[in-house]
Amino acid sequence: MSNRWYSASAPGKFVVLGEHSVVYGKPAVVLATDLRIKCSVRRSYMNSLNGEKLDLYRQPHIKYLTRDVHYCLDFLTTSQVPSGSGMGSSAALSAAIALAISTEKGEEPSERQLVDESYGAELYAQGNGSPMDASACVHGGGIAINIPNTNNELWTIKRNDRTWRVSDIKVPDLSFVIGNTGIKAPTGPQVEKIRRFKEKSGFASEIIDEMGKVTLEGYSALRKNDKEKLGRLMTQDHKLLSILGVSCNELNKLVNASLPYSYGAKLTGSGGGGCMVALTDRPDKVAEAIASRGGTPIVINSGSEGARIEKSIADGKRMDIPLQ
Ligand code: PMV
């Protein structure tokens, strides 16, 4: 038995516009970040994760991704992506693990195969959702979903009665600052909250339709580099997300603190805690404002490379809260 390590990494992501409404087939614009998750695997006599016995019932993503692996594996992970915070940690982890496992098997998976694995793992773990995070974390750069005439379609994914057309987009030369509330909020319950609201009231569907329009307009502002318009639409999207019930006081506090120095700001990801994002020309001022209200600012570089094979081995430490 070869016990060589095989390593891969994938970037986290943030949503410029369109989280939650994308679950219902509306458009979204997402950028990969320079925060990555790395995973290394090797054959072993017992399943382990970062040096401890692996309990697959507590690690549903790994359980799904190893469903066709009939031997034991050691896993090592290192993460710069804060977990449960709307930055795509579960999709990035799934993409890195899927690529490391395929490489260990001697396969060379296509991006589409990695997206299917990663999306499958997320659905298995969280029950419902879109292939947005999986697509962004596998492909990297910038992606648009269900936006017509992007001219660079990557793949189409269908599930139940929904279709997501995923395209590659040029990464805009814009500066974004993330603010982490430090409150962990898993995605599944937030998605479920909106599903229940939508089932009970036509009003939720109207808000979701409105979010779709805001995202389409935002995409065309992004293409024209119209920061003022894009920022205004991001703030509007935050208000719509708040009406749907997925913001919280801490997110609103960080959004409001950023607004005087930003074109616009909104929660990013599933909400309920986690992170917000501001579009700004004054990242230092925004970072200061976020820190002064108790958040952790991260000045992000967007458009990083997607899932890739790595030469060095993950160090087995979960560096949960990043830098700066
Ligand atoms: O919070 P995250 O990083 O898991 O992002 C979730 C994005 C949602 O639109 C809320 C759900 C989805 O599956 O698209």
Side-chain angles (χ1 to χ4, degrees):
M1 181 179 80
S2 153
N3 67 349
R4 209 194 114 181
W5 286 102
Y6 293 85
S7 305
S9 74
K13 66 94 212 344
F14 69 97
V15 187
V16 180
L17 286 166
E19 55 275 272
H20 284 294
S21 45
V22 71
V23 174
Y24 300 95
K26 301 293 176 201
V29 179
V30 190
L31 299 174
T33 69
D34 52 348
L35 304 177
R36 300 187 79 82
I37 291 189
K38 192 195 256 192
C39 170
S40 302
V41 300
R42 71 172 175 190
R43 287 195 192 211
S44 183
Y45 295 101
M46 169 186 112
N47 285 322
S48 77
L49 174 61
N50 294 332
E52 288 178 13
K53 190 169 183 302
L54 169 61
D55 178 355
L56 285 174
Y57 290 93
R58 296 185 61 191
Q59 300 291 341
H61 298 87
I62 301 184
K63 185 162 190 265
Y64 179 86
L65 294 164
T66 53
R67 69 200 179 285
D68 291 328
V69 180
H70 305 293
Y71 41 84
C72 293
L73 290 169
D74 289 324
F75 292 86
L76 292 177
T77 61
T78 315
S79 175
Q80 300 169 318
V81 184
S83 64
S85 303
M87 300 291 293
S89 60
S90 69
L93 181 71
S94 301
I97 291 177
L99 181 54
I101 290 177
S102 298
T103 312
E104 196 278 336
K105 287 181 182 165
E107 298 167 355
E108 289 180 22
S110 64
E111 283 197 347
R112 175 60 204 259
Q113 285 168 323
L114 288 177
V115 169
D116 285 345
E117 279 295 284
S118 176
Y119 181 38
E122 287 209 284
L123 287 176
Y124 183 75
Q126 87 194 24
N128 192 8
S130 77
M132 170 179 74
D133 284 22
S135 298
C137 297
V138 167
H139 183 67
I143 63 157
I145 297 187
N146 289 347
I147 291 188
N149 309 321
T150 48
N151 292 333
N152 205 352
E153 199 162 309
L154 296 168
W155 43 76
T156 296
I157 295 176
K158 291 179 195 271
R159 181 170 179 266
N160 301 333
D161 56 345
R162 314 239 152 80
T163 301
W164 294 275
R165 292 199 163 74
V166 181
S167 308
D168 175 81
I169 56 167
K170 192 168 165 286
V171 176
D173 187 15
L174 298 172
S175 138
F176 294 95
V177 179
I178 300 288
N180 190 350
T181 61
I183 300 168
K184 303 235 183 235
T187 308
Q190 298 299 319
V191 171
E192 178 57 17
K193 191 174 185 177
I194 294 187
R195 192 191 65 74
R196 273 190 267 116
F197 187 10
K198 201 168 170 294
E199 211 171 64
K200 269 204 278 182
S201 135
F203 179 60
S205 299
E206 282 172 34
I207 299 290
I208 288 170
D209 288 346
E210 187 59 31
M211 287 160 78
K213 287 183 201 148
V214 164
T215 302
L216 278 183
E217 265 191 75
Y219 175 71
S220 85
L222 184 109
R223 291 221 36 188
K224 294 180 195 137
N225 224 24
D226 184 344
K227 297 185 229 182
E228 301 210 348
K229 186 159 182 201
L230 176 59
R232 241 186 353 260
L233 290 162
M234 286 170 66
T235 308
Q236 194 178 334
D237 198 35
H238 180 74
K239 289 182 185 150
L240 296 169
L241 286 158
S242 305
I243 295 170
L244 285 180
V246 291
S247 190
C248 63
N249 287 342
E250 290 78 2
L251 278 167
N252 294 342
K253 233 183 347 185
L254 301 189
V255 164
N256 291 336
S258 309
L259 283 176
Y261 314 106
S262 308
Y263 294 104
K266 61 182 272 292
L267 71 83
T268 186
S270 52
C275 294
M276 47 70 65
V277 60
L279 169 62
T280 180
D281 285 337
R282 300 164 77 190
D284 293 346
K285 289 299 279 183
V286 172
E288 228 175 75
I290 288 170
S292 77
R293 302 308 300 271
T296 304
I298 311 166
V299 179
I300 212 95
N301 288 313
S302 46
S304 301
E305 196 186 342
R308 66 182 182 217
I309 292 171
E310 296 281 351
K311 287 210 174 75
S312 62
I313 300 167
D315 64 13
K317 282 188 224 143
R318 285 194 69 87
M319 264 173 51
D320 210 339
I321 294 294
L323 339 169
Q324 301 171 49

